Amino acid sequence: MKIKIIFLVVSFYSSMMNAQNDLCANATTVTPGLTCATISGTFNGASLEANPSTCAPSASQDVWYKFTATDPTMYVEVSNATNIGLDVAIELYSGSCGGTLVTCENDATAAQGYESYFNTDFVVGQTYYVRVLNVSPNASIRSFSICIRKYPIPTNDLCANATTLTPGVSCTTASGTFSGAYSDGALSTCAPDASQDVWYKFTATDPTMSVEVSNSINIGLNVAVEIYSGSCGGTLVTCRNDATSAQGYENYFNTDFVVGQTYYVRVLNASPSISTQNFSICLRKHPTPSNDLCANATPLTPGASCTTVSGTFSGAYFDGSTSPCAPDASQDVWYKFTATDPTMYVEVSNSINIGLNVAMEIYAGSCGGTLVTCKNDATAAQGYESYFNNNFVVGQTYYVRVLNASSSISTQSFSICVQKYPTPSNDLCASATLLTHNSQCFATSGTFAGSSISSASPNCAPDASQDVWYKFVANNSNLTILSSNSINIGLDSGLELFDTDCSGVPMACVNQGGASSGGESYSSPNFVPGRTYYVRVFNVSSNLSVRNFSICVQGAVLGTNSFETSSIAIVPNPVKDFFELFNLDAAVNYNFQILNIQGQLIHQGTLAHNRIDTANLKQGVYFLRLSDGTRFKVTKFVKE
């Protein structure tokens, strides 16, 4: 009997211990922590004290806890993780056991394991009562855990306490958090559902600045950014909420900052759901380049080759007039050079930064002088703009305005070079280069680099843009002039021949072949030995060229290398279909050329069976030039 009484007493006290917080008046006090430090609770011996729960009307048991709010942001969690199958619910009351119902949480199932409430609406110093319910109509003796976590307000939660950022030349990030933050500013124009904000401030050091907020360490956090000028409630400079939470960042990059002005950055959690996640923020300055203004244009020294100088748009802004070829340009920088020659080449290249679309203007004399050119022909992918011409005035200063043709500002780099092409010594007829002719073609090198057109365009090449001059003294009546562009496929050159001086009507103008023909030639038996002749080699194209060519005058030396006049006969002459040659040396292989009366080469080849077919020739007078390798003879014939 004594043992039974002892057992009943122990059971009674055990039941009383398990249910000591069964009444709200005996609510267990919980101290909020910086982490979720749980304490154990149980439904063992508990009953349902209060009215039925609004979110758990079938609940059969409840126990009570209380805490004092230390911060506006608090977190309450009840977990049944150690007792799978126990379905719990939470009610939260403000001020007293029968105070205002803050929330009733019964969202999770028994298998999911917990209920929680997390918000920024707690009143510091207020006591809150937590009613933990067994959702099931069946009483339980199972245990659970409960934790109350506090999230202290970050120091920069209010604009008045904005954290100061120091601009750097690189993006050195500072850590930030929404943990404990709430929304205290006006409704955001680009993030109207934002639930939290924190504040930063900085003083602009340069007109070009960039502000970037990144959530890359917390995928799923969608941030937004507002920037105000002057004060917390100053002019709204921008509101950025373009990226999704998965994209990871928002930024503002512009050239409109006022040096010395204070700016306030409001970083927002764009979601209506509050967060404790972290982010990073960086403020970068882009110092204005020294040549941002034309008055400080960087001098360039023209070189014999395109030796590039590096340039950048980082920190540059747009300070000139609207460009006629790049009306959307957002930035410009300036260079200048003094022309050393009439022919100059200016190139700006973005080859190291694919995607940067550059344009170029050149002004003569001053920053606001005559606009020589505006170049914006290439796309960003093509990589460069250039200007090449022979209209430069030696000694004149030219200003080069390099533009970012895009409406979006850039920090990318480019390269620029100015190349000079000295005028060749034989650019004018008065300085014609002397050629010496030989029995074979001993070529002399020539170039169009730096040359211009010295007089009226040749009548056989009205678009010719350049010429250079040569001269020779004839020592034979039978001579051939040959020019070759074989080393520069694509160069289309021609010949013009003058007797005695550079003026007057030319003896011949030869422009038969195209750029792929390899050159031009002129032969005639009518040169006067001892007379000086002038050869004008011209670039047929209207586009300037810096390509090279070669030229020679070929002909036997008089009295030593020519065939006897009567040694070779053409039969028949006049000819209809073909003719034969007589009195030739059977042991010699002969080459032949047929030229028209203007000296233009019509046909050439190796003589076979002493017979030449003329069926394809038009009626007229022709010259046959026959060569045995060291000597030659020119004979006239008529085609019927």
Side-chain angles (χ1 to χ4, degrees):
M1 183 68 180
K2 183 177 180 180
I3 294 174
K4 183 176 181 180
I5 293 172
I6 293 173
F7 174 77
L8 290 174
V9 171
V10 171
S11 297
F12 172 76
Y13 280 104
S14 176
S15 175
M16 290 297 292
M17 289 179 65
N18 288 336
Q20 62 182 342
N21 61 342
D22 186 53
L23 299 176
C24 181
N26 299 323
T28 300
T29 300
V30 180
T31 302
L34 292 174
T35 60
C36 195
T38 60
I39 61 173
S40 296
T42 182
F43 288 116
N44 188 13
S47 59
L48 190 68
E49 173 197 10
N51 296 326
S53 170
T54 57
C55 65
S58 300
S60 57
Q61 295 168 288
D62 59 18
V63 288
W64 292 82
Y65 297 84
K66 66 180 179 181
F67 67 93
T68 301
T70 57
D71 298 275
T73 304
M74 306 289 288
Y75 176 72
V76 181
E77 179 184 284
V78 176
S79 171
N80 65 350
T82 58
N83 281 289
I84 303 302
L86 174 62
D87 190 4
V88 293
I90 299 175
E91 287 182 344
L92 183 65
Y93 292 88
S94 173
S96 64
C97 300
T100 302
L101 178 64
V102 177
T103 188
C104 188
E105 299 287 336
N106 183 21
D107 301 323
T109 63
Q112 290 173 308
Y114 75 97
E115 294 291 345
S116 65
Y117 180 69
F118 176 46
N119 217 324
T120 60
D121 58 357
F122 290 86
V123 178
V124 176
Q126 179 75 276
T127 300
Y128 291 84
Y129 291 81
V130 184
R131 183 188 186 193
V132 182
L133 300 111
N134 170 16
V135 173
S136 171
N138 300 316
S140 173
I141 60 171
R142 291 183 174 179
S143 301
F144 57 85
S145 63
I146 183 172
C147 79
I148 311 291
R149 185 175 178 181
K150 61 182 178 182
Y151 291 90
I153 300 172
T155 57
N156 61 340
D157 187 60
L158 297 176
C159 182
N161 299 323
T163 299
T164 300
L165 298 174
T166 302
V169 293
S170 62
C171 194
T172 304
T173 59
S175 296
T177 184
F178 287 118
S179 180
Y182 56 97
S183 182
D184 66 297
L187 187 68
S188 173
T189 56
C190 66
D193 296 327
S195 55
Q196 294 166 288
D197 58 23
V198 288
W199 292 82
Y200 297 84
K201 66 180 179 181
F202 67 91
T203 300
T205 56
D206 298 272
T208 303
M209 310 282 288
S210 63
V211 180
E212 180 180 290
V213 177
S214 171
N215 66 347
S216 57
I217 56 175
N218 281 292
I219 302 302
L221 173 62
N222 188 11
V223 293
V225 177
E226 290 180 344
I227 299 178
Y228 293 87
S229 173
S231 65
C232 300
T235 301
L236 179 63
V237 176
T238 189
C239 189
R240 312 288 293 182
N241 185 21
D242 302 323
T244 64
S245 57
Q247 290 173 309
Y249 73 97
E250 294 291 345
N251 71 339
Y252 181 69
F253 174 45
N254 217 325
T255 60
D256 58 357
F257 290 88
V258 178
V259 175
Q261 178 75 277
T262 300
Y263 292 85
Y264 291 81
V265 183
R266 183 188 186 192
V267 182
L268 301 110
N269 168 15
S271 169
S273 300
I274 61 175
S275 173
T276 61
Q277 290 183 318
N278 300 329
F279 57 86
S280 62
I281 183 171
C282 83
L283 172 66
R284 186 175 179 183
K285 60 182 177 181
H286 299 272
T288 304
S290 59
N291 62 340
D292 188 61
L293 298 176
C294 182
N296 299 323
T298 299
L300 299 173
T301 302
S305 61
C306 191
T307 304
T308 59
V309 173
S310 295
T312 183
F313 287 118
S314 181
Y317 54 98
F318 192 83
D319 66 295
S321 57
T322 301
S323 173
C325 66
D328 296 325
S330 55
Q331 294 166 288
D332 57 22
V333 288
W334 292 83
Y335 297 85
K336 65 181 179 181
F337 67 92
T338 301
T340 56
D341 299 274
T343 303
M344 308 288 287
Y345 176 74
V346 183
E347 178 185 285
V348 178
S349 171
N350 67 346
S351 57
I352 55 176
N353 280 293
I354 302 302
L356 173 63
N357 188 10
V358 293
M360 176 176 62
E361 292 178 344
I362 300 178
Y363 293 86
S366 66
C367 301
T370 302
L371 179 63
V372 176
T373 188
C374 189
K375 305 290 287 184
N376 186 21
D377 303 324
T379 64
Q382 291 173 308
Y384 73 98
E385 294 291 345
S386 65
Y387 181 68
F388 175 47
N389 216 321
N390 55 13
N391 60 353
F392 289 87
V393 178
V394 176
Q396 177 77 276
T397 300
Y398 291 86
Y399 291 81
V400 183
R401 183 189 189 192
V402 182
L403 302 112
N404 168 15
S406 170
S407 58
S408 300
I409 61 176
S410 173
T411 61
Q412 290 183 318
S413 302
F414 57 86
S415 62
I416 183 172
C417 79
V418 180
Q419 185 172 351
K420 60 183 178 181
Y421 291 91
T423 305
S425 59
N426 61 341
D427 189 54
L428 299 176
C429 180
S431 303
T433 299
L434 180 64
L435 299 174
T436 302
H437 61 75
N438 295 276
S439 59
Q440 297 180 351
C441 183
F442 294 111
T444 297
S445 295
T447 184
F448 287 118
S451 68
S452 56
I453 198 83
S454 59
S455 59
S457 297
N459 57 22
C460 64
D463 295 326
S465 56
Q466 295 165 287
D467 59 25
V468 287
W469 291 85
Y470 296 87
K471 65 182 179 180
F472 65 91
V473 179
N475 69 356
N476 196 316
S477 59
N478 298 307
L479 298 174
T480 299
I481 304 165
L482 298 169
S483 71
S484 172
N485 65 347
S486 58
I487 57 175
N488 279 292
I489 301 303
L491 172 62
D492 188 5
S493 61
L495 298 173
E496 201 172 34
L497 182 66
F498 293 84
D499 186 353
T500 306
D501 60 36
C502 307
S503 60
V505 178
M507 293 172 54
C509 190
V510 185
N511 181 21
Q512 292 295 305
S516 60
S517 67
E520 298 288 354
S521 68
Y522 174 77
S523 295
S524 175
N526 298 321
F527 287 96
V528 179
R531 182 174 292 178
T532 300
Y533 293 88
Y534 290 84
V535 182
R536 182 189 191 190
V537 182
F538 51 83
N539 170 16
V540 173
S541 171
S542 59
N543 297 319
L544 298 183
S545 175
V546 297
R547 291 181 172 175
N548 301 328
F549 58 87
S550 61
I551 185 172
C552 72
V553 180
Q554 183 178 350
V557 178
L558 187 62
T560 59
N561 289 340
S562 60
F563 293 122
E564 291 297 327
T565 304
S566 60
S567 62
I568 299 174
I570 295 177
V571 179
N573 188 7
V575 60
K576 186 174 182 180
D577 295 318
F578 64 89
F579 60 74
E580 295 184 1
L581 300 172
F582 293 90
N583 302 328
L584 297 179
D585 187 343
V588 174
N589 293 321
Y590 294 93
N591 295 319
F592 72 88
Q593 293 179 327
I594 296 176
L595 304 101
N596 63 18
I597 195 65
Q598 286 82 32
Q600 296 166 335
L601 180 64
I602 303 301
H603 182 47
Q604 62 183 350
T606 301
L607 186 65
H609 307 298
N610 295 355
R611 179 173 174 166
I612 297 177
D613 188 354
T614 64
N616 292 328
L617 297 181
K618 297 178 180 179
Q619 290 181 341
V621 177
Y622 294 89
F623 295 96
L624 172 67
R625 186 178 188 277
L626 196 66
S627 172
D628 64 359
T630 59
R631 301 173 301 166
F632 70 90
K633 177 178 177 59
V634 178
T635 302
K636 185 186 295 184
F637 69 93
V638 177
K639 171 66 189 301
E640 292 181 334

